[in-house]
Amino acid sequence: MSALGMTAVLGGCGLTSGSDDVTLRLVAADYGDSAANNSKKYWAKLVDAYEADHPGVQVEVTVYSWNDVDREVKEMVDAGKAPDMAQIGAYADYAADDLLYTADDLLSIPVQAGFSSALAQAGQVNGAQYGMPFAASTRLLFYNKKLFQEADLTPPTTWAELADAAEALKAEGVKYPYALPLGSEEAQAETMQWLLSGGGGYTDGVSTYTIDSAENVETLTWLRDKLVAKKLTGPVAPGKLNRADAFAAFAKGEVGMLNGHPSLMKTAEKQGVEFGMVPMPGVDGESKATMGVADWMLAFKQNGHKEQVGEFLDFVYSEENVLDFSREYDLLPVTNPASDVMSAAAEDRDLKPFLDELALSELYPVGKTSWAEVSAEVKKRIGSAVEPGGSPEAILSQLQSTATTAESSAAG
């Protein structure tokens, strides 16, 4: 995807020609799936409304695809030309280098207190919030209603029921009874969803990596023996199957079950696939925790526009603007006031199950500068753990070693 720029102005110190005027520069990610709904249009409307009420402040927004935005911001920062704000996928490295304002520095008390507590906590490093959540998502188990009816199935609530359903779907000739995307695109997400449903996770919930825990070994061993070895995950090896391909197969009616986020609803509906959604099954019942994902807004200190940035972000996080963004892109609001509205609104009823899961969600350990390296290694290695003959214990041990080393390097 090519970068979508709202403005070519990226250099300079951020001051306009008027001595008291300020130009704020924001780099943002594109959430759209077509030219008709790219994020450039969302920001243009929001900025027009803001500038109309704030003479003397201009906001220049540059929108890049998700393939490019994190790299573009890093290059700007490395060149000494940090934007005032960046809406991207991670914040920990910049926080560790003391380049960011905290939320306390910027936001009014009502706005800061309005963030979902789980998301606000995930944005903290050593008790200070540097990452301001901008968009959120959770996962549910999607199932194809037609295929389930043909196999006389009800949605699973336990791992055993999921495996039995997959067996029945395979017997009916379903191509992917359960799609298990552990390919390089987003293996860390599918893995985390399963680890949580098995009572484990990447960390102990506080600060220590526990990748090689007994619970995690048991989870991957179950996946290897009960799904993959029995050929219940389709013709493509999980380590070669990417999320986008699994979603496309679901929209074609080729998948019985898979973990999905809200955007899959629209994709499936366009193709006429009737689907249901239920919480992720756990070992003995509904999973006690689910995976949440957040993208982040961060503010760099380099240009010194603390007051103007804070006022603009208060506007960005107003209930109306958070609702507009969430509804446009089928994402979950990151503030409690907007969540309350969506939970009660008939127009948002499709998103309510995901909203309900957000309260139970755990996020990646994004406050750790080591997470990027650990996540990359999960993407490379985890698929081999569930191959027939693979060793979950060995792979998880290797990943734990990677995490421990990366943590030591970060601390040093």
Side-chain angles (χ1 to χ4, degrees):
M1 294 173 65
S2 61
L4 299 173
M6 284 182 67
T7 173
V9 181
L10 288 174
C13 63
L15 295 177
T16 60
S17 56
S19 60
D20 294 327
D21 290 351
V22 169
T23 297
L24 302 178
R25 293 178 298 132
L26 165 64
V27 177
D30 185 13
Y31 289 85
D33 56 10
S34 68
N37 73 338
N38 65 52
S39 295
K40 174 177 163 181
K41 294 185 177 181
Y42 170 81
W43 285 111
K45 178 182 175 184
L46 184 147
V47 167
D48 283 348
Y50 184 78
E51 290 179 347
D53 287 335
H54 294 81
V57 177
Q58 290 184 312
V59 183
E60 294 176 345
V61 184
T62 308
V63 176
Y64 292 102
S65 80
W66 273 110
N67 294 331
D68 302 320
V69 67
D70 289 284
R71 184 190 71 253
E72 291 284 347
V73 171
K74 184 179 186 304
E75 289 177 357
M76 292 175 201
V77 173
D78 289 348
K81 297 180 179 179
D84 295 282
M85 296 162 283
Q87 185 271 298
I88 53 178
Y91 65 86
D93 285 341
Y94 301 122
D97 291 338
D98 194 29
L99 300 177
L100 303 179
Y101 288 117
T102 67
D104 283 338
D105 293 329
L106 301 168
L107 301 177
S108 65
I109 292 174
V111 169
Q112 191 175 358
F115 286 131
S116 157
S117 59
L119 298 177
Q121 186 173 359
Q124 294 178 1
V125 177
N126 297 325
Q129 185 181 352
Y130 294 93
M132 292 164 275
F134 183 76
S137 180
T138 54
R139 300 290 197 272
L140 291 170
L141 183 74
F142 282 67
Y143 64 94
N144 183 308
K145 285 187 173 181
K146 179 174 179 284
L147 298 179
F148 264 58
Q149 288 168 358
E150 290 173 350
D152 196 26
L153 294 171
T154 56
T157 60
T158 66
W159 285 3
E161 290 176 4
L162 185 149
D164 288 344
E167 290 269 19
L169 291 164
K170 181 185 176 186
E172 291 288 326
V174 175
K175 188 173 182 180
Y176 293 89
Y178 178 85
L180 183 65
L182 296 179
S184 60
E185 180 187 6
E186 207 184 36
Q188 82 286 359
E190 182 74 11
T191 300
M192 183 171 174
Q193 184 69 63
W194 276 98
L195 297 184
L196 290 172
S197 72
Y202 289 123
T203 68
D204 59 7
V206 185
S207 60
T208 304
Y209 281 110
T210 54
I211 298 173
D212 60 351
S213 69
E215 293 87 352
N216 291 348
V217 172
E218 289 173 9
T219 295
L220 294 190
T221 301
W222 187 91
L223 283 173
R224 181 195 66 187
D225 296 345
K226 301 299 184 182
L227 291 186
V228 182
K230 295 186 177 182
K231 303 187 185 305
L232 301 179
T233 54
V236 180
K240 303 291 186 184
L241 182 65
N242 281 328
R243 177 183 57 81
D245 295 328
F247 278 19
F250 187 84
K252 292 178 184 175
E254 297 175 344
V255 175
M257 299 173 281
L258 84 172
N259 282 316
H261 52 59
S263 71
L264 182 56
M265 294 190 296
K266 191 173 291 184
T267 304
E269 286 168 356
K270 284 180 181 177
Q271 298 295 325
V273 173
E274 287 191 47
F275 59 88
M277 302 178 298
V278 293
M280 176 68 181
V283 180
D284 300 313
E286 183 180 319
S287 179
K288 295 179 177 60
T290 189
M291 187 191 71
V293 177
D295 301 322
W296 305 97
M297 178 72 75
L298 39 154
F300 289 92
K301 296 190 289 187
Q302 180 181 330
N303 300 318
H305 301 140
K306 181 170 72 171
E307 180 181 347
Q308 292 88 351
V309 169
E311 289 178 353
F312 177 68
L313 290 179
D314 274 355
F315 181 74
V316 168
Y317 285 107
S318 68
E319 180 182 303
E320 177 185 358
N321 287 327
V322 172
L323 283 170
D324 283 349
F325 178 83
S326 301
R327 286 166 170 163
E328 177 66 32
Y329 300 107
D330 287 327
L331 290 164
L332 305 183
V334 296
T335 65
N336 294 320
S339 292
D340 291 343
V341 171
M342 288 188 81
S343 292
E347 69 180 286
D348 302 310
R349 62 182 177 273
D350 288 345
L351 283 173
K352 190 172 188 312
F354 294 96
L355 277 169
D356 293 341
E357 290 292 290
L358 193 59
L360 305 170
S361 68
E362 290 188 24
L363 280 74
Y364 302 130
V366 289
K368 292 177 172 290
T369 57
S370 58
W371 170 241
E373 182 177 347
V374 173
S375 176
E377 285 300 305
V378 170
K379 292 178 182 180
K380 287 180 188 176
R381 297 174 179 267
I382 206 70
S384 63
V386 300
E387 292 175 353
S391 174
E393 191 168 12
I395 295 297
L396 291 176
S397 178
Q398 292 167 12
L399 291 170
Q400 180 68 31
S401 179
T402 296
T404 302
T405 302
E407 278 287 271
S408 298
S409 299

